Amino acid sequence: MVSHKASNVSASHRVAIIGGDGIGPEVITEALKVVAASGVKLETKNFDLGGARYLRDGEILSDATLTELREFDAILLGAVGTPAVRPGLIERGLLLKMRFELDLYINLRPFSGVGPGQTKSHDFIVIRENTEGSYAGEGGVLRRDTPDEVATQGSVNTAKGVERCLRFAFELAMTRERKHVTLVHKTNVLTFAGDLWQRVFDRVAKEFAQVQTAYNHIDAACIYFVQDPHRYDVIVTDNLFGDILTDLGGAVSGGIGVASSANLNPSRSGPSMFEPVHGSAPDIAGKGVANPVAAILSAAHMLEFLGEQTAATALRTACVSPVTGSTTAIGDEIAKRVKASI
């Protein structure tokens, strides 16, 4: 991850904790346990947000709470959502609102491992534009609930938004051994949005002569993720395509249960947010069987972005060898490994 803050393990970082729903609080508890084992000091405050909170008093994310969140260095989130709340309400009202209002325009998700049917390990990162595209909310409905209903959902792409995402991807590639960036889009059909992405990609690439580049249509990229993920180093794509690709990336890299993510505000005008991507999994909540590794790896992203590189590396290294057992037992073992390595 690209970070420009010097390491200072003696400092205390202010972190907002949103455990959320389902297994969210369980895995975040283990992530915080492992961070504590690294010696990094966090000053935390819990925020009761998510589906359960909404059902209790109608709160999703008020402007007052958002203002309070802006004062933290980072946000660590477990998972939100419950079957009792209609789909989309919490996602748009909490997750997307934080992304848009806090300008978390980079969604970073790393993937490594040996995929199904593969014999060689892969190691790539997907950079997803996080505040525009199909998730910006442009669209509407005419003649709802009639045979003549018309629903539109547009994709909003700005030159500024596209360029800052692409620049982040190229800068990240420069820190990696292969120095390769692949643009994924659908330029042969999405001739307006795709053309903007391709033109800006080509222009920015000229400033990074050491970085090799490639282009894949989204459908081809899905095939390559399964058949030949080793071809990738850094992938950059738009919001919707990135959402799809990163779930597939989890499936070919050990499962969605170990997939971590960072929602970054690289300008640091507000806190960045870090979360596992496995969802709230209400069917296993409270049973002590949730895998906390994705939350721990998300905490590692957070530590790196806060300048705690040594601790971040320790967390990632401790998660390499598989651990079995209950949620708490896995957290205990990884914390033990981290403490021994610091």
Side-chain angles (χ1 to χ4, degrees):
M1 188 188 304
V2 177
S3 179
H4 305 288
K5 189 173 181 179
S7 179
N8 182 3
V9 294
S10 65
S12 178
H13 306 284
R14 299 190 69 230
V15 177
I17 306 298
I18 304 174
D21 301 307
I23 64 172
E26 300 173 49
V27 297
I28 289 300
T29 294
E30 301 310 309
L32 291 173
K33 176 195 299 180
V34 174
V35 171
S38 75
V40 174
K41 300 175 183 177
L42 301 182
E43 178 187 342
T44 63
K45 179 175 180 178
N46 289 299
F47 286 81
D48 180 15
L49 298 170
R53 171 68 186 276
Y54 172 75
L55 291 172
R56 190 167 65 251
D57 63 13
E59 165 83 0
I60 299 179
L61 178 60
S62 68
D63 290 341
T65 300
L66 185 62
T67 297
E68 188 174 1
L69 287 172
R70 292 182 188 276
E71 300 304 313
F72 287 82
D73 300 318
I75 302 167
L76 185 61
L77 184 146
V80 293
T82 175
V85 180
R86 64 177 174 83
L89 188 65
I90 302 300
E91 291 84 351
R92 293 206 68 89
L94 178 58
L95 297 179
L96 294 190
K97 185 174 181 178
M98 283 198 294
R99 292 177 189 175
F100 298 153
E101 294 295 330
L102 300 177
D103 204 19
L104 309 179
Y105 65 87
I106 293 295
N107 183 279
L108 180 151
R109 299 190 187 181
F111 300 99
S112 61
V114 179
Q118 301 291 323
T119 58
K120 184 173 64 173
S121 178
H122 57 262
D123 176 17
F124 61 86
I125 296 176
V126 177
I127 300 300
R128 164 189 171 191
E129 200 291 317
N130 213 28
T131 60
E132 297 188 345
S134 301
Y135 292 6
E138 189 277 335
V141 177
L142 296 174
R143 297 183 289 274
R144 186 181 179 89
D145 294 325
T146 75
D148 298 314
E149 179 173 340
V150 177
T152 63
Q153 193 83 60
S155 178
V156 177
N157 301 265
T158 68
K160 173 185 175 181
V162 170
E163 181 170 348
R164 66 182 185 174
C165 180
L166 291 172
R167 286 192 177 279
F168 185 94
F170 275 91
E171 290 170 2
L172 176 62
M174 285 293 293
T175 70
R176 293 170 61 84
E177 183 178 355
R178 286 183 59 190
K179 294 181 173 56
H180 190 281
V181 178
T182 302
L183 171 64
V184 172
H185 212 281
K186 191 68 174 175
T187 56
N188 59 335
V189 175
L190 303 179
T191 54
F192 299 118
D195 178 62
L196 173 60
W197 275 85
Q198 186 70 71
R199 283 186 289 111
V200 180
F201 181 83
D202 292 342
R203 174 164 56 80
V204 173
K206 292 178 181 178
E207 301 177 31
F208 295 85
Q210 293 177 272
V211 178
Q212 294 182 303
T213 62
Y215 171 81
N216 289 161
H217 289 326
I218 178 61
D219 42 350
C222 288
I223 295 172
Y224 296 144
F225 263 45
V226 175
Q227 295 183 344
D228 185 25
H230 321 94
R231 68 172 57 210
Y232 294 118
D233 181 23
V234 176
I235 296 167
V236 63
T237 188
D238 84 342
N239 211 334
L240 178 59
F241 294 149
D243 196 358
I244 296 167
L245 274 182
T246 50
D247 280 356
L248 182 56
V252 301
S253 304
I256 202 71
V258 296
S260 60
S261 77
N263 298 269
L264 304 177
N265 176 336
S267 69
R268 302 179 187 271
S269 60
S272 292
M273 191 264 284
F274 305 84
E275 61 173 325
V277 300
H278 47 54
S280 60
D283 56 321
I284 62 171
K287 297 181 179 179
V289 298
N291 188 344
V293 168
I296 294 169
L297 291 174
S298 297
H301 294 320
M302 179 183 73
L303 292 178
E304 184 175 17
F305 199 71
L306 293 173
E308 305 288 359
Q309 183 61 60
T310 299
T313 300
L315 265 66
R316 293 187 178 119
T317 302
C319 291
V320 171
S321 297
V323 184
T324 58
S326 68
T327 305
T328 301
I330 293 173
D332 287 344
E333 174 59 26
I334 294 176
K336 180 180 177 181
R337 295 176 181 180
V338 167
K339 191 170 183 178
S341 68
I342 293 294

